[in-house]
Amino acid sequence: MHSEDDFIPISALQHVLFCERQAALIHVERLWAENRLTAEGKVLHEKTHSERVETRGRVRIVRSLMLRSLRLGLFGRSDVVEFAAPECVSNPTSIFRRWGQGESVDWSAWQITPVEYKRGKPKKDGSDRVQLCAQAMCLEEMLGVTILSGSLFYGQRKRRTTVLFDSSLREQTATAASRMREFIETGTTPPAIYEPKCDSCSLIELCLPEATTGRRRVQQFLDNHFDKHLEASGPTTDTSFS
Amino acid sequence: MKRHLNTLFVVTDGSYLSKEGQAVRVKVEKETKLRVPLINLDGIVCFGRVGASPALLGACAEAGVTVSLMSRHGRLLARVVGFTPGNVLLRRTQYRTADDPDQSAFIARNIVAAKIANCRSVLLRSARDSSNSQVKDSLQAAARSMENPLREARHAKSVDTARGYEGEAAATYFRVWNDLLGGKGFVMNGRSRRPPLDPVNALLSFLYSLLSHDARSAAEAAGLDSQVGFLHQDRPGRPSLALDLMEELRPFLADRVALSLINRGQVTPNGFRTSESGAVLMDDDTRKTVLSAYQKRKQDKLTHPFLGEKTTVGLLVHLQARLLARHLRSDLDEYPPFLWR
Ligand code: SF4
């Protein structure tokens, strides 16, 4: 069980899966650089984050629900959670009214589905699935239910992808959360390893992966440069400026 | 990351800045003179009697645009900065490192060595361009006598030792500045700062204040505390780390701009006046010329010697601040200063 003070945002899990160093730069070192991709993502999210509740037939659609899990030590918000009433419930609206007034509700027969909206295409690292799974695990803990699957909706494809919350995805989610916690508690940032994905990373200019991969030897660079400087008869660069 | 690190300088007395959408609007006597989107800006620097709306200041803070209010002569009066994310671990390491004499020396000596090397580059560069053999000889001789302080500074075991070599090299450097001025009517009698006692010193002081403004923003943007330095010791109100970051860049960014303005005749001794106390001040036109030259200089492109990447002169100080942060966080074995070669 984790204390609320030490909660980690669900969104951090995505960063862990993309790159552990990036996750630490953002959540340990608190560096944040917004690039075009993240800015666009924010606009998309602002739309879904206006708290609205809507009923379509027997399905209640709740947007921007606050979530947390004491077990995983996570908190966050969902885009959308759908509550589909089972056959046995004759008047779902009255249940929602009771819920809204703070009464406890038995959700066990309901089909509860978290839905997350993403721009672009599914990510290779599976981080979208982990994020959705984390939301589901929070919901399970808060509502005392079991959630079998959720949906990802990709802006570019305009259709839903079903995600099954199987044991391996749940484990991956819990591991990502505990990795993040480890970095925060020890104040460590894993070293950079330069990879092609760095070129699309919004933190590349703060991370400087090419300069820091393998703790590059500055000493050698300086020895070399000062020697060359002493041999040369003046700078050779910057000829445009006189 | 911001790609366009432009600074908006507002020098006209009575200007008023306000927010218009996500842009800043500059009005002078009810007439709109300029609109610049905030996204294109790194900072806004106001000189003298310039006003700004609270809405604009708020928007700047949010967009990471620092607003500095300066006296007409470039003395910093106040700044408006947004809520900095503030990396507490980085800062604690910075303080611990600054408290440790050995670790401070380890950083300070690289800064000093690079500063000396870059000053030598200024001299050698001018020596190569000069057609006067006497001037050539004098500059080359000065550069030669800075070799020893450079070698020694690189291995200095303490901050004080490094400082000593820096002082020795600086004395040699400024002693030959009259040779650099190319008989354009400017004469310099060593470095004087408080107040500057001749036009060249006034010019340098002004450029250094612009650079220190940039260095401060860069340190803070990298999550560092701009007041805690390694080469410069703490002194209340002094941006010691910004001064540290400036050292290696002064020759390349400020000194060269000053020399170029003089040698191209863009500033002349007539553009300065001496006050009753002997302090030398620039007139408004000269100040504008200097601001635009500095601004233009920041747009020049170059390859960063350590990173090996193309960048702009304006980004240099930001890159150096980040490299320093990465050294403090143990991602680099030493701090790699900027070396002009
Ligand atoms: S630049 Fe590369 S190593 Fe650095 S945080 Fe981004 S992805 Fe990770």
Side-chain angles (χ1 to χ4, degrees):
Chain A
M1 287 294 188
H2 295 284
S3 121
E4 288 186 5
D5 287 343
D6 303 328
F7 276 9
I8 292 164
I10 291 176
S11 58
L13 303 183
Q14 277 189 292
H15 302 132
V16 176
L17 286 161
F18 176 71
C19 167
E20 291 193 341
R21 177 168 167 91
Q22 190 203 55
L25 290 175
I26 296 171
H27 300 281
V28 178
E29 304 204 11
R30 318 292 292 184
L31 297 177
W32 181 242
E34 221 171 320
N35 65 10
R36 199 178 56 83
L37 291 180
T38 56
E40 279 174 19
K42 212 165 97 184
V43 172
L44 192 74
H45 265 251
E46 268 158 17
K47 264 193 229 143
T48 53
H49 273 184
S50 51
E51 284 200 34
R52 268 188 302 129
V53 181
E54 169 188 345
T55 312
R56 274 191 214 149
R58 297 172 60 81
V59 181
R60 184 77 149 188
I61 298 163
V62 184
R63 284 167 217 277
S64 199
L65 201 58
M66 300 235 251
L67 303 172
R68 63 120 178 77
S69 160
L70 295 168
R71 192 171 68 77
L72 297 170
L74 289 174
F75 77 98
R77 257 178 206 274
S78 66
D79 271 354
V80 168
V81 182
E82 295 173 353
F83 292 78
E87 295 297 327
C88 57
V89 173
S90 53
N91 185 359
T93 321
S94 74
I95 294 197
F96 276 105
R97 198 173 310 124
R98 274 168 43 211
W99 189 36
Q101 284 159 0
E103 278 181 50
S104 67
V105 173
D106 178 9
W107 298 107
S108 51
W110 290 62
Q111 196 191 333
I112 299 174
T113 313
V115 185
E116 179 75 15
Y117 290 80
K118 294 283 173 196
R119 65 180 298 287
K121 290 178 289 188
K123 288 195 207 70
K124 280 197 221 103
D125 56 24
S127 59
D128 296 340
R129 291 155 43 83
V130 164
Q131 189 186 9
L132 191 66
C133 181
Q135 293 176 10
M137 289 167 86
C138 290
L139 282 167
E140 288 181 334
E141 198 181 301
M142 294 172 86
L143 303 176
V145 293
T146 305
I147 299 175
L148 299 177
S149 68
S151 290
L152 286 166
F153 188 88
Y154 289 101
Q156 227 171 57
R157 290 189 169 178
K158 299 221 185 312
R159 64 181 165 86
R160 286 185 172 201
T161 311
T162 302
V163 176
L164 293 180
F165 304 129
D166 57 20
S167 60
S168 88
L169 182 57
R170 286 168 187 270
E171 204 180 296
Q172 204 187 353
T173 306
T175 310
S178 68
R179 281 297 274 175
M180 191 68 251
R181 182 167 303 283
E182 193 183 315
F183 297 141
I184 291 177
E185 277 171 5
T186 57
T188 42
T189 305
I193 301 162
Y194 181 74
E195 285 179 59
K197 71 180 176 195
C198 295
D199 297 329
S200 68
C201 173
S202 55
L203 286 175
I204 186 163
E205 293 180 60
L206 293 157
C207 168
L208 301 168
E210 284 181 280
T212 55
T213 293
R215 229 170 156 261
R216 205 172 110 182
R217 298 255 305 168
V218 178
Q219 201 192 329
Q220 233 160 355
F221 160 82
L222 289 178
D223 287 346
N224 199 338
H225 264 69
F226 281 122
D227 283 352
K228 281 199 195 135
H229 170 87
L230 287 166
E231 284 160 19
S233 60
T236 50
T237 57
D238 194 36
T239 42
S240 67
F241 194 81
S242 57
Chain B
M1 183 39 54
K2 285 202 174 28
R3 279 332 234 104
H4 328 271
L5 293 158
N6 293 322
T7 307
L8 172 66
F9 295 112
V10 186
V11 291
T12 311
D13 262 353
S15 304
Y16 188 76
L17 313 182
S18 55
K19 176 175 177 288
E20 193 182 274
Q22 279 304 304
V24 49
R25 179 178 55 191
V26 184
K27 268 192 187 175
V28 182
E29 284 169 3
K30 301 212 167 95
E31 196 188 322
T32 299
K33 294 281 184 193
L34 191 71
R35 276 190 191 83
V36 192
L38 288 178
I39 189 103
N40 292 336
L41 289 177
D42 177 43
I44 300 177
V45 183
C46 307
F47 292 91
R49 224 164 43 74
V50 175
S53 74
L56 174 73
L57 296 178
C60 286
E62 194 165 295
V65 176
T66 302
V67 181
S68 299
L69 306 179
M70 319 271 256
S71 75
R72 287 189 59 220
H73 308 298
R75 192 169 61 84
L76 182 70
L77 303 172
R79 310 170 76 215
V80 177
V81 281
F83 168 75
T84 34
N87 174 1
V88 66
L89 296 168
L90 173 63
R91 284 183 184 224
R92 286 186 78 114
T93 317
Q94 180 185 356
Y95 301 148
R96 274 196 296 269
T97 308
D99 281 342
D100 181 321
D102 291 341
Q103 287 189 59
S104 293
F106 198 57
I107 295 172
R109 70 187 192 182
N110 287 358
I111 293 173
V112 168
K115 180 185 181 181
I116 301 176
N118 294 343
C119 285
R120 286 185 80 250
S121 289
V122 170
L123 300 186
L124 291 168
R125 176 66 200 274
S126 293
R128 204 171 55 205
D129 292 348
S130 174
S131 50
N132 179 331
S133 64
Q134 223 176 325
V135 166
K136 233 188 219 328
D137 288 350
S138 145
L139 294 177
Q140 278 166 350
R144 263 198 309 282
S145 50
M146 288 163 76
E147 284 176 11
N148 189 52
L150 168 55
R151 282 202 192 89
E152 297 291 339
R154 168 91 176 95
H155 301 287
K157 293 272 183 292
S158 74
V159 173
D160 279 347
T161 322
R163 271 242 165 270
Y165 292 115
E166 183 201 7
E168 186 187 330
T172 311
Y173 178 63
F174 282 113
R175 199 174 302 130
V176 290
W177 258 59
N178 281 325
D179 289 326
L180 297 176
L181 299 173
K184 303 272 179 182
F186 285 93
V187 179
M188 192 191 189
N189 291 310
R191 180 84 183 105
S192 55
R193 293 178 298 139
R194 285 189 175 159
L197 298 174
D198 56 55
V200 180
N201 272 296
L203 190 55
L204 286 178
S205 288
F206 187 62
L207 283 163
Y208 293 163
S209 80
L210 298 178
L211 181 54
S212 93
H213 165 264
D214 288 348
R216 225 167 143 148
S217 302
E220 277 155 28
L224 294 158
D225 185 331
S226 65
Q227 294 209 64
V228 176
F230 307 103
L231 177 63
H232 291 84
Q233 316 280 293
D234 294 358
R235 195 169 298 162
R238 178 160 82 174
S240 296
L241 184 70
L243 296 176
D244 282 7
L245 284 171
M246 270 176 72
E247 290 293 1
E248 66 206 56
L249 297 172
R250 270 178 220 251
F252 185 69
L253 240 157
D255 299 358
R256 291 271 299 163
V257 172
L259 289 171
S260 149
L261 283 167
I262 291 171
N263 287 319
R264 287 177 178 173
Q266 287 166 292
V267 301
T268 61
N270 294 336
F272 297 81
R273 67 178 178 81
T274 309
S275 72
E276 289 66 24
S277 68
V280 173
L281 306 166
M282 272 183 253
D283 66 23
D284 286 352
D285 285 341
T286 303
R287 193 171 302 120
K288 281 182 198 166
T289 308
V290 178
L291 285 171
S292 77
Y294 180 71
Q295 194 59 2
K296 240 182 111 228
R297 177 62 169 150
K298 291 210 291 187
Q299 275 145 25
D300 284 345
K301 294 196 172 61
L302 80 166
T303 302
H304 191 278
F306 180 69
L307 294 169
E309 284 168 29
K310 275 242 173 290
T311 180
T312 60
V313 171
L315 257 176
L316 277 180
V317 69
H318 284 264
L319 290 172
Q320 291 311 125
R322 289 173 209 162
L323 287 168
L324 181 59
R326 299 269 56 102
H327 165 63
L328 292 171
R329 290 293 290 159
S330 314
D331 289 325
L332 291 167
D333 56 333
E334 282 194 50
Y335 166 64
F338 171 75
L339 287 167
W340 176 25
R341 288 198 51 243

